[in-house]
Amino acid sequence: MASLQEVAQRAKVSIATVSRVLNKSDKVVPETRAIVEQALRELGYRPSRVARRLRMKDGRAHLVGLIIPDIQNPFYAEIARGVEDAAYAAEYALLLCNSDENPEKERFYLDVMLSESVDGIVLPPFDDTDAAVIEMAATGMPVVCVDRSMAKLKTDLVEVDNHRGAFEAVSHLLDKGHKHIGLIEGRSQVSTSRERRRGYLDALAERGITVRKELMRAGDFKQESGRILANELLALRKPPTALFVCNNLMTVGALATIHQRGLRVPQDVAIVGFDDLPWAEALDPPLTVVRQPAYEVGRQAMELLLKRIMDPDRAPVTVRLLPELVTRSST
Amino acid sequence: MASLQEVAQRAKVSIATVSRVLNKSDKVVPETRAIVEQALRELGYRPSRVARRLRMKDGRAHLVGLIIPDIQNPFYAEIARGVEDAAYAAEYALLLCNSDENPEKERFYLDVMLSESVDGIVLPPFDDTDAAVIEMAATGMPVVCVDRSMAKLKTDLVEVDNHRGAFEAVSHLLDKGHKHIGLIEGRSQVSTSRERRRGYLDALAERGITVRKELMRAGDFKQESGRILANELLALRKPPTALFVCNNLMTVGALATIHQRGLRVPQDVAIVGFDDLPWAEALDPPLTVVRQPAYEVGRQAMELLLKRIMDPDRAPVTVRLLPELVTRSST
DNA sequence: GACATGACTGAAATCGATTACATGGATTTC
DNA sequence: GAAATCCATGTAATCGATTTCAGTCATGTC
């Protein structure tokens, strides 16, 4: 509430001096400093980040934006925690937004962030060619992509080796003797989807298994589509004996279908999901999954962002983290 | 990037006129308006929310804060979605922070929000007497409490009837014939904990069941404490045959203990949790829980906040929503 | 003792918007 | 036809900070 003006009046100095005391910069004679600090305390002064941000150009707002599809998805919640913890450690605040995989919402929030003069933005782009993100980067705003990469845009990026994760998951199913493995993947415009599909195909190819096209279905990353697609797959005349589902929500959906059809896991159908869940252990059955180090993805993304804010001209970096197959009882 | 100044220059008018065009206020002659709009478009002008916020006093920042203990807790994630959706609908952006049930973090973020001149704040207070929240409200900042209430502070509040939820949960266990029901509750400085405990005690009293003090344990809402306390309870010489666990994370923890001890649910021990989980259905076994309308809590809190921003002098309102016992297979 | 040096501090510009007030030309009114 | 009125627009103050530049006073140097 109290402004620099008021503090200056009370301390009988100019606002410049108060500002200097606050920024611990320059030399203010100890007596003056004491008087000012006294006034500061008495008035319970708090600087206005808004005024400060208006004056200072670029990179000192101590505010960054994070746009994720859905905070209710544990994978993104974990990323968000990683970003937030790293931000908090550096005393940055976080503007968090849910895009719902909806380009319009994404655009709205990107506008807000530009308009709020955030120091930088972390986000998984909507798809390969996300125009809004390209424009944003073109303004010079620091952008760090997480999880998903973009074809035409060179930014800092923290991603997971999706091909490897998928390859291991499918190989694991093959090891268990499965020959008909259903794939439930996400939107194909998203880099992770393509990499996981590639991993699936490569694992089959390595063992010389013929691909059955009808076993591959594309969903939209949401629970409902997992439910529906699993149902389609299991209703085939020659249904798969195992399912590889490419994200957490769709896996939960697929599991619902399996239960509903009264199938036993893994005897009747085995299932491997992508993304771990905090309660995967407590599920029926405990789920075998490809675990992504989501917290770490978020944390490192924020650190990259901080580095870029400090030095906007550094060359973009790609950090590629390793997923891990966590074997439980669903396979 | 482009400022009013630049637009004004290009359109050969004053910044006041550009501002008028933007705010659709006053009368600007159509020709002038057209010229300005042209310039606006050509320069891809975006207003600075920062400058705007600095100039305008109170309630027009179109920015609100939300502080929750942990976004990775599905209950709070659901509240957050409710708040966010309502905020987005009103074109408000959201500053989201995790306090980790840590008063220092809470204070840091409250400072940020004051300093960012947000229009208002939604939060579940740390406890009954949360000093930081009291100070915040004292500055005149609109505050809406969710989930938890505060003893000494009269604010808008959206809560759930915790007593009733607990009462129904425990009555349900009693209906099933249980006489020794363990209680795992949260921090007792939090209003919800006390209300749920009261519900537990009242339900027992109604059936004339003697309370066994050693069956009541207080945790900290986190998974680990659920695990530990359940273990303590089940290790008693005369262990409970049913558990009532007062939040979602502790329930998952308790379930882990139960599985680890090789107990069957509900034959060896029944369990009812507070808070539903999106995958409660898929758990082993599907969990009986008291479902809180968390999304609705968040949504209504945001609407109350909007009303208060519009009219700071209206009398504080308390909205009390009803929980619902969802019976699945763990009881 | 005059002048250069340096250490503090203050005055004022600045960031990008909103808005009260001033201005000036056209129109109305008597 | 002069005064009053009105309308569109411009000028300038303002929000609360940071920062440049200038000013003041004491000290050091010869």
Side-chain angles (χ1 to χ4, degrees):
Chain A
M1 297 264 17
S3 69
L4 264 199
Q5 195 67 246
E6 302 171 54
V7 175
Q9 261 160 23
R10 178 178 264 259
K12 299 198 210 308
V13 296
S14 73
I15 57 171
T17 301
V18 181
S19 176
R20 286 194 263 261
V21 169
L22 285 170
N23 297 315
K24 309 200 187 307
S25 71
D26 289 285
K27 321 101 198 272
V28 178
V29 98
E31 303 160 33
T32 315
R33 154 160 280 135
I35 297 176
V36 171
E37 281 173 345
Q38 172 78 359
L40 245 19
R41 237 172 295 119
E42 288 174 0
L43 289 172
Y45 171 81
R46 285 170 216 281
S48 159
R49 291 169 60 104
V50 179
R52 168 171 241 277
R53 184 137 92 254
L54 179 58
R55 184 70 196 346
M56 317 237 273
K57 285 294 83 175
D58 286 350
R60 316 229 252 140
H62 271 233
L63 179 66
V64 297
L66 172 63
I67 302 182
I68 52 178
D70 181 13
I71 193 63
Q72 288 197 75
N73 179 329
F75 173 64
Y76 292 116
E78 195 180 333
I79 288 185
R81 275 316 300 251
V83 171
E84 215 235 34
D85 288 354
Y88 179 73
E91 300 195 284
Y92 275 64
L94 193 63
L95 206 54
L96 177 78
C97 309
N98 296 115
S99 69
D100 280 324
E101 306 270 5
N102 172 349
E104 271 175 53
K105 276 190 95 169
E106 183 180 275
R107 177 153 238 132
F108 170 82
Y109 283 129
L110 282 171
D111 265 8
V112 168
M113 291 184 178
L114 204 53
S115 176
E116 282 286 350
S117 305
V118 299
D119 292 329
I121 298 174
V122 174
L123 85 177
F126 173 68
D127 63 22
D128 255 315
T129 55
D130 192 325
V133 173
I134 291 178
E135 285 170 33
M136 183 61 45
T139 68
M141 170 72 72
V143 172
V144 175
C145 293
V146 286
D147 184 39
R148 308 169 178 175
S149 63
M150 293 188 60
K152 300 191 179 152
L153 189 63
K154 198 110 186 66
T155 65
D156 290 303
L157 166 67
V158 182
E159 63 176 0
V160 168
D161 189 337
N162 288 287
H163 180 275
R164 176 158 173 172
F167 188 90
E168 286 184 5
V170 175
S171 297
H172 168 71
L173 290 171
L174 293 167
D175 287 343
K176 294 277 182 177
H178 296 282
K179 295 196 163 32
H180 301 277
I181 302 177
L183 171 74
I184 297 180
E185 60 179 339
R187 278 188 291 117
S188 68
Q189 300 88 341
V190 177
S191 65
T192 55
S193 292
R194 287 197 307 273
E195 291 172 29
R196 290 173 197 174
R197 152 194 278 244
R198 208 51 273 152
Y200 166 87
L201 293 173
D202 287 352
L204 294 185
E206 197 196 46
R207 310 284 177 108
I209 305 261
T210 328
V211 175
R212 285 175 55 198
K213 276 253 171 129
E214 75 271 27
L215 291 187
M216 301 170 62
R217 309 268 162 156
D220 63 1
F221 298 125
K222 297 179 185 169
Q223 184 159 345
E224 188 58 11
S225 80
R227 207 184 53 69
I228 293 172
L229 297 176
N231 209 31
E232 289 178 18
L233 287 172
L234 296 172
L236 288 175
R237 270 210 314 178
K238 198 169 171 194
T241 61
L243 256 33
F244 172 48
V245 189
C246 284
N247 90 333
N248 51 9
L249 265 33
M250 294 195 296
T251 306
V252 173
L255 210 51
T257 287
I258 291 173
H259 284 147
Q260 194 192 326
R261 288 178 155 259
L263 298 172
R264 291 163 309 159
V265 183
Q267 298 89 331
D268 299 330
V269 58
I271 181 167
V272 181
F274 217 99
D275 304 332
D276 201 5
L277 294 163
W279 29 79
E281 191 82 54
L283 288 176
D284 174 26
L287 219 53
T288 294
V289 299
V290 178
R291 200 186 108 62
Q292 297 196 65
Y295 182 87
E296 202 52 25
V297 167
R299 203 185 58 73
Q300 296 210 27
M302 184 63 208
E303 311 236 300
L304 282 185
L305 184 55
L306 288 172
K307 284 189 195 159
R308 174 149 311 281
I309 289 167
M310 297 309 157
D311 174 11
D313 298 323
R314 66 200 288 274
V317 168
T318 293
V319 174
R320 171 170 278 239
L321 301 175
L322 286 183
E324 173 195 6
L325 183 69
V326 180
T327 312
R328 299 201 181 92
S329 324
S330 69
T331 53
Chain B
M1 295 268 15
S3 70
L4 264 199
Q5 196 67 247
E6 303 170 55
V7 176
Q9 261 158 25
R10 178 177 266 259
K12 299 198 210 306
V13 297
S14 74
I15 57 172
T17 300
V18 181
S19 176
R20 288 189 188 107
V21 169
L22 286 170
N23 297 314
K24 311 204 186 303
S25 70
D26 290 283
K27 320 101 198 273
V28 178
V29 98
E31 303 159 33
T32 316
R33 154 160 281 135
I35 297 176
V36 171
E37 282 173 344
Q38 171 80 358
L40 245 19
R41 238 172 294 120
E42 288 174 1
L43 290 172
Y45 171 81
R46 285 170 216 280
S48 160
R49 291 169 61 104
V50 179
R52 168 170 242 276
R53 184 138 93 254
L54 180 59
R55 185 68 196 345
M56 317 239 272
K57 284 294 83 175
D58 286 350
R60 318 229 250 139
H62 271 232
L63 178 67
V64 297
L66 172 64
I67 303 182
I68 53 178
D70 181 13
I71 193 63
Q72 289 198 73
N73 180 328
F75 173 64
Y76 291 115
E78 195 179 332
I79 289 185
R81 274 316 301 251
V83 171
E84 215 234 33
D85 288 355
Y88 179 72
E91 300 195 286
Y92 275 63
L94 192 63
L95 207 52
L96 177 77
C97 309
N98 296 115
S99 69
D100 279 324
E101 307 270 5
N102 172 349
E104 271 175 52
K105 275 190 95 169
E106 184 181 275
R107 177 154 240 130
F108 170 82
Y109 283 129
L110 282 171
D111 265 9
V112 168
M113 290 182 180
L114 204 54
S115 177
E116 282 287 350
S117 304
V118 300
D119 292 330
I121 299 173
V122 174
L123 85 177
F126 173 68
D127 64 20
D128 256 312
T129 56
D130 193 324
V133 173
I134 291 178
E135 285 169 32
M136 183 59 47
T139 67
M141 170 71 72
V143 172
V144 174
C145 292
V146 285
D147 184 38
R148 309 169 177 176
S149 64
M150 292 189 61
K152 301 191 178 150
L153 188 64
K154 198 106 187 72
T155 65
D156 290 303
L157 167 66
V158 182
E159 63 177 359
V160 167
D161 190 337
N162 289 286
H163 180 276
R164 176 158 174 172
F167 188 90
E168 286 184 4
V170 175
S171 297
H172 168 71
L173 290 172
L174 292 167
D175 287 345
K176 295 278 182 175
H178 295 283
K179 295 198 162 32
H180 301 278
I181 302 177
L183 172 73
I184 296 179
E185 59 178 342
R187 279 188 291 117
S188 67
Q189 300 87 339
V190 176
S191 65
T192 55
S193 292
R194 288 197 308 274
E195 290 172 31
R196 291 172 198 176
R197 152 193 279 245
R198 207 55 270 155
Y200 166 86
L201 293 173
D202 287 352
L204 293 184
E206 197 196 45
R207 310 284 176 108
I209 305 260
T210 329
V211 174
R212 286 174 57 197
K213 276 254 170 129
E214 77 271 25
L215 291 188
M216 301 169 62
R217 310 268 161 157
D220 62 0
F221 297 125
K222 297 178 187 171
Q223 183 159 346
E224 188 59 10
S225 80
R227 207 184 53 69
I228 294 171
L229 297 176
N231 209 31
E232 287 178 19
L233 286 171
L234 296 173
L236 288 174
R237 270 209 314 175
K238 199 169 172 192
T241 61
L243 255 34
F244 172 49
V245 189
C246 284
N247 91 332
N248 50 9
L249 265 33
M250 294 195 296
T251 306
V252 173
L255 211 51
T257 287
I258 290 172
H259 284 146
Q260 192 192 329
R261 288 180 156 256
L263 297 173
R264 291 164 309 160
V265 184
Q267 297 89 331
D268 299 328
V269 56
I271 181 167
V272 181
F274 216 100
D275 304 332
D276 200 4
L277 294 164
W279 29 79
E281 192 82 55
L283 288 175
D284 173 26
L287 219 52
T288 295
V289 299
V290 178
R291 201 186 106 63
Q292 297 195 66
Y295 182 86
E296 202 51 25
V297 168
R299 204 185 57 74
Q300 295 210 25
M302 185 63 207
E303 310 237 300
L304 282 185
L305 184 55
L306 287 173
K307 284 190 195 158
R308 175 149 309 281
I309 289 167
M310 297 310 158
D311 174 11
D313 297 323
R314 67 200 288 273
V317 168
T318 293
V319 174
R320 171 170 277 238
L321 300 175
L322 287 183
E324 172 195 7
L325 183 69
V326 181
T327 311
R328 300 198 181 96
S329 324
S330 69
T331 53

